[in-house]
């Protein structure tokens, strides 16, 4: 049972480390996004739209399509984060079940 407690503690440490890593990555992503948005707005203001965009697309529609792309990317990233969390949850559940079985075996002795 001490071995299982040690394994579970190790898994908990991994999860905590993963959370810390993801928080740092999120901070960097947010900083990059803000920087990219500023750069994009500067380029859009200085660059005339292509002839195809002049005909029927308003600036609001262009902004909307960029916004939709950003939303899709964000949704994709969130799905990946949730899938990783589900995988880690399954792994932890399996370890907990193994620990339970070990405890039961130890009680029989």
């Amino acid at each position: 049972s001490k071995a299982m407690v040690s394994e579970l503690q190790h898994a908990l440490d991994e999860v905590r480390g993963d959370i810390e890593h993801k928080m740092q990555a999120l901070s960097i992503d947010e900083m990059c996004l803000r920087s990219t948005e500023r750069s994009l707005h500067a380029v859009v203001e200085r660059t005339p739209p292509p002839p195809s965009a002049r005909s029927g697309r308003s600036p609001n529609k262009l902004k909307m399509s960029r916004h939709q792309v950003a939303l899709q990317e964000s949704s994709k990233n969130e799905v990946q984060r949730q899938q990783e969390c589900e995988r880690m949850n399954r792994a932890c559940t399996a370890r907990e079940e193994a620990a339970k079985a070990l405890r039961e075996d130890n009680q029989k002795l």
Side-chain angles (χ1 to χ4, degrees), residues 9-10 12 18 20-21 23 32-33 35 47-48 53 55 57 61 67 69-70 73 88-89 94-95 99-100 103:
Q9 186 62 45
H10 179 70
L12 180 61
D18 190 46
E20 183 179 333
H21 177 75
M23 293 299 289
C32 290
L33 181 59
S35 176
T47 307
S55 61
R57 291 185 121 181
K61 286 185 182 179
H67 180 69
V69 168
E73 184 70 19
M88 292 173 74
N89 187 47
R95 285 186 178 184
K100 181 180 176 184
R103 283 192 306 272

Side-chain angles (χ1 to χ4, degrees), residues 71-87:
L71 284 175
Q72 288 173 347
E73 184 70 19
S74 177
S75 294
K76 183 180 93 172
N77 290 340
E78 182 61 24
V79 167
Q80 288 174 342
R81 281 190 289 271
Q82 288 180 5
Q83 288 172 342
E84 179 66 12
C85 286
E86 287 175 13
R87 183 195 64 76

Side-chain angles (χ1 to χ4, degrees), residues 29-105:
D29 287 348
E30 288 172 340
M31 184 175 59
C32 290
L33 181 59
R34 286 190 299 271
S35 176
T36 302
E37 282 180 343
R38 284 192 301 268
S39 298
L40 176 65
H41 290 298
V43 169
V44 167
E45 289 173 2
R46 291 190 310 247
T47 307
S52 61
R54 288 185 199 135
S55 61
R57 291 185 121 181
S58 69
N60 287 339
K61 286 185 182 179
L62 290 174
K63 286 181 185 177
M64 187 59 148
S65 66
R66 285 193 301 260
H67 180 69
Q68 289 171 338
V69 168
L71 284 175
Q72 288 173 347
E73 184 70 19
S74 177
S75 294
K76 183 180 93 172
N77 290 340
E78 182 61 24
V79 167
Q80 288 174 342
R81 281 190 289 271
Q82 288 180 5
Q83 288 172 342
E84 179 66 12
C85 286
E86 287 175 13
R87 183 195 64 76
M88 292 173 74
N89 187 47
R90 285 191 299 272
C92 288
T93 300
R95 285 186 178 184
E96 287 174 351
E97 290 296 323
K100 181 180 176 184
L102 281 175
R103 283 192 306 272
E104 289 171 357
D105 288 345

Side-chain angles (χ1 to χ4, degrees), residues 4-18:
M4 188 51 63
V5 169
S6 176
E7 282 186 44
L8 290 173
Q9 186 62 45
H10 179 70
L12 180 61
D13 291 342
E14 284 180 6
V15 170
R16 285 181 177 152
D18 190 46

